[in-house]
Amino acid sequence: MSSAAQPDLNATVGDRAAPAATGVVALQVDGLVVEFATDRGWARVVDGVSYAVASGETLAIVGESGSGKSVSNLATMGLLARSARVPAGTALLEGTDLLELSQRQLEDVRGDRIAMIFQEPMTSLNPAFRVGDQIAEVVRKHRHASRRDAWRRAVEVLDLVGIPRAADRARAYPHEFSGGMRQRVMIAMALACEPLVIIADEPTTALDVTIQAQVLDLLRATRDELGMALLFITHDLGVVADVADRVMVMYAGQAVETGTVDEIFFHPMHPYTEGLLRSMPQVGTQGRTLASIPGQPPAPWSMPGGCRFAPRCPYAIDACRAAPVPLVELTPGHQVRCVRAHELTLRGAA
Amino acid sequence: MTTDAIATTAGADGGLVPAVLEVDQLTVTFKIRTRPFRPKQQVTAVNQATFSIARGETLSLVGESGSGKSSTGRGILRLVPLAGGSVRLSGVDVSQLSTAELRKQRRHMQMIFQDPYSSLDPSAQVRDSIGEPLKVHEHLGGQQLTARVAELLDRVGLPAHYMSRYPYEFSGGQRQRVAIARAIALQPRLVICDEAVSALDVSTQNQVINLLEKLQDEEGLSYLFIAHDLGVVRHISDRVAVMYLGRIVEVGPAERVFESPAHPYTVALLSASPVPNPVIQRTRKRIILAGDLPDPSDPPSGCPFTTRCPEVMEICTQVMPPAVEVAGGGHVLCHLYDHVPPPVTPVAIRPTEQPVMHLDAVSPAET
């Protein structure tokens, strides 16, 4: 306990070298652009986002609503609405560009090599079918297993995710499960074919904290056991601190900072990251005004010409507004999109 | 439950401040059909909740979904019928009032909901949404009404010309400001904030919290703050009440509850709430509770927490624990503290970034 109260930050940062360098890259997204058709023409909601996630690693994508964190992952899974298009970018999974695949080819990949867990499991599960059958269907489709083998696998994964009496509960319908248990069913379904990559989009946001702790533990344990890559999309910095090895911070459709979780929390280099960290209610702020980032994120059709965060940034100077700012690697594994990154000393988590 | 001072509350200076809200043995039940073709069953959503809120004070209700937080708030406003207990607002027992009398009293207590998009009329201009309570209760109209709405918008940080806009034209944070303006229009004594900032992004959330605190300072408002984000609760609360399966299992000053939680459920709840600091998050001891909240229509006998409690004893399944005072303030309903005299010395304040709590703060062996 005493060591926790006074953490030796340098030692910890050194202990956890960028895991991307150690694991095999499972999913690599490069230069992804997503646009939506609006009354004002094509609105660019994801603008040149690149990231890679390695086997056995958790990459958290953080950002406020509208930052493009969910849309970029829906794009790689081929799950965007018809009103959207992906004019540029690649998403390589085992040497295949997911963005080049037809819907039919994608169906073979989804649920098999890459699986997704959403925020609200009740809308992802079919209320009219037993959960065991829904999981078995995935196995039958991808593994061409017999009914009996597929059912056996369904019970096996339900047991793996900690559903008590899995053989009985596989015969239950989604409404017979609580919210936390339903999310376990979704995780079981995602694990059924032992995918290379799991994309979890706010998987615990609708859950109570005690259930959230159970689900985060389960995701961590299964990732370690099966060596999957875990892409975790969330707005909750507490959850990020809990699950992530590396973090990508998104703002207004762009990555503004990427680094190890310790670098992002203790040595943020982008003013937006600092603003997010400072906005977390900290112990000892009672009676004081909470820090907040003034203003609103820009709309996709009225993006500032220079740095997109400049209108809200306390450190902005004329150079920030002059031209778009590139993402630059300042220290190994730590990239930041800020003109003044080299001269600013920003405050991290307390 | 009898140990809580009902008529008065200890103020910040230790003196006694008259309570704005006194809730005594509040019980709310619902009849629901848990299975098709079976008779409806009675579910006790709130079970004998007792607490009070002083003028200018913020009491937070925390707990998991289904614990009865929102039903408590709705019961106080009598938006749901009460099965028992009383609610006194500045001394007036609102639980006994007729509908007409209640309507007059409602101006003193207002509610802000999680989603202003569904609580504001989408086809009404903001001027009408904010002005409606002023028309009904103060019979304002025309120029007078417009002036008051403009003033209210100004107080919540929105320009006066926004009054001719519709809810869809606002961002989530701005909509919540409109809802707040409507709630404070009649200068209420009590505002119940039911997950009022939960749907907002963190920076917007903080702006709204700052606004709520500013209004509290200006008007001496009392808040019943219902929330699940413990970071926000810790920031905003003077006192915190922890609910589990309809029962208030622990209540006390926010500092004491967060630094030295007494009830095993509070300990688990705090330890499950992730801290935005990866080093602390890696090293802190976490208590992962097994299982879910029990079925509220079939609660366990004795203490409601027995099915998940890491400290469960034989007596817990048989007898509902009584309220026991906790050193540092408040009380707890847990058999661990039966017959244990509270320590004489005040509870030591632990390093603040260390939310892992231990029960030793109140065990006599430690002190």
Side-chain angles (χ1 to χ4, degrees):
Chain A
M1 268 190 66
S2 55
S3 64
Q6 294 256 302
D8 184 350
L9 302 187
N10 293 325
T12 321
V13 173
D15 288 345
R16 305 230 315 197
T22 59
V24 183
V25 171
L27 174 68
Q28 174 138 16
V29 174
D30 272 304
L32 182 70
V33 176
V34 182
E35 295 177 333
F36 277 91
T38 69
D39 299 345
R40 311 170 202 228
W42 289 101
R44 188 167 282 206
V45 294
V46 175
D47 192 6
V49 168
S50 305
Y51 54 85
V53 57
S55 299
E57 178 199 40
T58 302
L59 171 69
I61 303 184
V62 197
E64 295 181 271
S65 28
S67 62
K69 57 188 193 301
S70 289
V71 166
S72 50
N73 285 289
L74 291 175
T76 59
M77 295 282 282
L79 293 173
L80 286 173
R82 289 230 179 96
S83 59
R85 66 175 188 187
V86 183
T90 57
L92 288 178
L93 179 84
E94 295 183 309
T96 310
D97 184 359
L98 297 177
L99 300 175
E100 293 286 315
L101 298 183
S102 67
Q103 276 301 327
R104 174 162 293 186
Q105 288 169 314
L106 269 171
E107 279 171 19
D108 288 338
V109 179
R110 284 195 301 246
D112 183 12
R113 309 310 295 144
I114 185 164
M116 202 153 178
I117 304 165
F118 295 96
Q119 178 172 342
E120 190 27 80
M122 199 61 199
T123 55
S124 317
L125 289 166
N126 189 327
F129 291 91
R130 299 174 195 277
V131 297
D133 284 327
Q134 296 189 52
I135 299 172
E137 185 195 352
V138 179
V139 181
R140 276 167 61 79
K141 174 173 169 49
H142 293 298
R143 291 284 178 269
H144 310 291
S146 68
R147 265 173 207 284
R148 177 180 300 218
D149 287 348
W151 182 266
R152 197 175 294 148
R153 176 67 182 156
V155 172
E156 197 176 287
V157 287
L158 285 172
D159 187 53
L160 180 72
V161 299
I163 294 204
R165 299 180 293 109
D168 293 336
R169 296 297 278 159
R171 291 180 208 288
Y173 291 89
H175 75 267
E176 297 177 73
F177 289 86
S178 66
M181 283 292 157
R182 247 178 251 146
Q183 200 57 293
R184 283 175 191 261
V185 171
M186 284 309 297
I187 294 171
M189 192 182 287
L191 294 175
C193 293
E194 303 198 355
L196 211 55
V197 182
I198 287 195
I199 299 177
D201 191 348
E202 305 267 9
T204 60
T205 305
L207 304 177
D208 286 310
V209 285
T210 61
I211 309 298
Q212 168 172 282
Q214 293 173 4
V215 170
L216 292 179
D217 250 37
L218 171 65
L219 280 172
R220 205 188 341 257
T222 46
R223 183 206 65 182
D224 290 345
E225 202 168 311
L226 305 176
M228 297 170 310
L230 183 58
L231 201 56
F232 202 102
I233 303 162
T234 181
H235 69 282
D236 185 332
L237 290 178
V239 171
V240 173
D242 189 81
V243 299
D245 299 309
R246 287 190 306 124
V247 181
M248 177 166 87
V249 183
M250 285 192 71
Y251 182 77
Q254 296 178 325
V256 293
E257 187 165 5
T258 306
T260 64
V261 66
D262 289 26
E263 279 282 302
I264 294 289
F265 275 80
F266 299 117
H267 307 288
M269 293 206 276
H270 197 285
Y272 178 64
T273 312
E274 183 193 50
L276 280 183
L277 288 168
R278 289 189 56 199
S279 300
M280 297 302 293
Q282 303 273 338
V283 172
T285 60
Q286 293 90 327
R288 277 190 265 149
T289 307
L290 283 176
S292 65
I293 306 169
Q296 301 284 328
W301 48 84
S302 60
M303 287 293 179
C307 168
R308 292 180 176 182
F309 187 59
R312 305 174 71 191
C313 181
Y315 308 103
I317 53 173
D318 287 347
C320 301
R321 302 180 191 95
V325 183
L327 193 67
V328 177
E329 183 149 316
L330 278 191
T331 58
H334 196 160
Q335 300 168 315
V336 59
R337 192 187 293 275
C338 175
V339 173
R340 304 190 64 196
H342 60 280
E343 52 173 327
L344 293 176
T345 309
L346 303 179
R347 263 206 345 226
Chain B
M1 287 288 175
T2 50
T3 51
D4 196 18
I6 286 168
T8 50
T9 315
D13 55 354
L16 292 178
V17 187
V20 165
L21 178 74
E22 300 150 52
V23 176
D24 187 27
Q25 308 274 321
L26 179 77
T27 302
V28 176
T29 59
F30 295 107
K31 281 214 153 99
I32 56 162
R33 206 183 299 277
T34 50
R35 280 157 176 264
F37 315 116
R38 302 278 175 83
K40 286 187 176 178
Q41 280 182 301
Q42 179 152 307
V43 173
T44 306
V46 183
N47 200 340
Q48 299 174 36
T50 301
F51 58 89
S52 60
I53 305 180
R55 184 179 149 80
E57 189 187 38
T58 302
L59 173 76
S60 287
L61 282 182
V62 299
E64 294 172 88
S65 37
S67 61
K69 314 186 289 284
S70 290
S71 296
T72 304
R74 279 155 210 254
I76 290 167
L77 293 186
R78 280 183 61 189
L79 299 175
V80 292
L82 303 185
S86 71
V87 175
R88 297 169 76 85
L89 188 75
S90 302
V92 179
D93 189 346
V94 291
S95 48
Q96 301 299 326
L97 295 180
S98 68
T99 315
E101 291 170 314
L102 179 66
R103 188 165 289 210
K104 284 187 195 140
Q105 285 297 321
R106 280 238 170 92
R107 63 173 301 168
H108 300 306
M109 40 187 189
Q110 295 290 327
M111 195 153 183
I112 303 168
F113 296 92
Q114 175 168 352
D115 180 12
Y117 208 67
S118 53
S119 58
L120 292 171
D121 183 346
S123 64
Q125 288 181 359
V126 157
R127 178 185 191 278
D128 298 322
S129 286
I130 299 177
E132 192 180 13
L134 294 166
K135 277 188 213 160
V136 172
H137 286 279
E138 297 189 355
H139 310 291
L140 290 187
Q143 290 284 310
Q144 267 183 312
L145 185 67
T146 307
R148 280 288 289 278
V149 172
E151 182 202 317
L152 286 163
L153 282 172
D154 179 59
R155 298 199 50 203
V156 298
L158 293 175
H161 69 264
Y162 277 19
M163 72 171 74
S164 54
R165 295 195 178 183
Y166 291 90
Y168 74 88
E169 296 178 82
F170 291 96
S171 69
Q174 289 173 326
R175 262 197 300 267
Q176 203 56 292
R177 286 173 191 267
V178 172
I180 292 171
R182 179 181 156 112
I184 63 166
L186 295 169
Q187 291 155 306
R189 298 182 187 126
L190 173 74
V191 177
I192 298 178
C193 307
D194 190 353
E195 302 278 7
V197 297
S198 306
L200 303 174
D201 276 318
V202 60
S203 62
T204 318
Q205 164 190 292
N206 289 5
Q207 292 166 9
V208 173
I209 291 170
N210 289 340
L211 172 64
L212 288 171
E213 294 194 312
K214 183 193 85 155
L215 294 170
Q216 180 168 50
D217 288 347
E218 289 170 359
E219 310 232 347
L221 287 174
S222 302
Y223 290 134
L224 178 65
F225 198 84
I226 299 167
H228 66 270
D229 183 328
L230 296 178
V232 170
V233 166
R234 182 167 196 169
H235 172 83
I236 203 168
S237 312
D238 297 305
R239 288 187 304 135
V240 177
V242 182
M243 290 193 79
Y244 189 82
L245 213 65
R247 294 267 188 182
I248 293 181
V249 295
E250 178 168 6
V251 62
E255 239 357 77
R256 200 280 295 157
V257 172
F258 278 93
E259 292 297 331
S260 327
H263 199 282
Y265 176 64
T266 316
V267 175
L269 192 67
L270 292 179
S271 95
S273 176
V275 184
N277 181 318
V279 170
I280 293 175
Q281 199 55 29
R282 272 195 291 271
T283 49
R284 68 197 278 234
K285 181 172 158 256
R286 263 170 299 176
I287 302 160
I288 306 260
L289 286 181
D292 290 306
L293 210 63
D295 180 358
S297 64
D298 182 24
S301 60
C303 169
F305 192 49
T306 47
T307 54
R308 300 168 80 192
C309 182
E311 317 262 353
V312 65
M313 301 174 291
E314 206 183 326
I315 186 176
C316 302
T317 57
Q318 295 154 5
V319 186
M320 179 66 205
V324 180
E325 270 188 60
V326 181
H331 60 248
V332 61
L333 277 76
C334 176
H335 285 300
L336 285 175
Y337 302 92
D338 281 1
H339 320 299
V340 177
V344 188
T345 47
V347 174
I349 300 298
R350 289 167 181 283
T352 45
E353 70 272 49
Q354 194 54 40
V356 180
M357 305 306 164
H358 294 276
L359 301 175
D360 56 16
V362 275
S363 96
E366 278 282 321
T367 52

